[in-house]
Amino acid sequence: ESYKNSHPKAYKLGQYAMKGDNVERFLMGRQVFVVCCVFFAAKLTTIHGNSESGFLFYVPDWVQALFLETGLLACVVVVILAQLMPQIVASLYPTQFLELMVMSPAYWACIILETSGVTHICWVLA
């Protein structure tokens, strides 16, 4: 109740999130979004060097094949910056995190995605 006046957006979102199975629904929708973002970022940042002179500096063939052409490097960067860092911030400062301007649309996007039925097979497997 102490956050009701000091952090009204966080309080309102937190109250709705704690009703029923909304936390589980949010987590399933969030995971689908994270996976899509990681694959999209990997595809977007994959570098295909057609020749040895395709880069600004010499890159060994195995580095090019393993990190640059597969998108593995981009996946690691996206996971660290877009997935792990927000989780750490949210665990340390949950009220302030819920007050962020993007949290309400992000929460509702995850709930809508889960409601669409894309993740419903998870309920059967659980």
Side-chain angles (χ1 to χ4, degrees):
E1 292 291 323
S2 63
Y3 292 115
K4 190 173 188 176
N5 296 325
S6 63
H7 299 87
K9 290 191 293 187
Y11 181 82
K12 183 179 174 184
L13 190 59
Q15 290 297 313
Y16 185 78
M18 290 299 148
K19 289 181 183 175
D21 59 354
N22 285 344
V23 171
E24 290 85 3
R25 293 175 59 206
F26 165 75
L27 289 175
M28 286 194 289
R30 178 191 162 276
Q31 195 59 40
V32 171
F33 274 121
V34 167
V35 169
C36 290
C37 286
V38 168
F39 278 111
F40 178 72
K43 188 68 174 167
L44 191 65
T45 57
T46 299
I47 300 170
H48 294 287
N50 294 334
S51 66
E52 291 183 27
S53 63
F55 295 103
L56 296 174
F57 51 88
Y58 172 73
V59 178
D61 290 337
W62 68 271
V63 172
Q64 180 179 338
L66 182 62
F67 294 112
L68 301 177
E69 291 181 0
T70 62
L72 180 64
L73 185 62
C75 283
V76 170
V77 170
V78 167
V79 165
I80 290 171
L81 293 179
Q83 184 177 8
L84 298 178
M85 190 266 307
Q87 281 181 340
I88 292 170
V89 171
S91 69
L92 294 175
Y93 309 104
T95 307
Q96 291 82 359
F97 191 75
L98 287 175
E99 281 284 319
L100 292 174
M101 191 171 61
V102 298
M103 280 310 299
S104 185
Y107 176 80
W108 288 108
C110 293
I111 293 293
I112 289 169
L113 180 68
E114 194 280 334
T115 304
S116 72
V118 174
T119 63
H120 284 183
I121 190 67
C122 294
W123 292 109
V124 175
L125 298 175

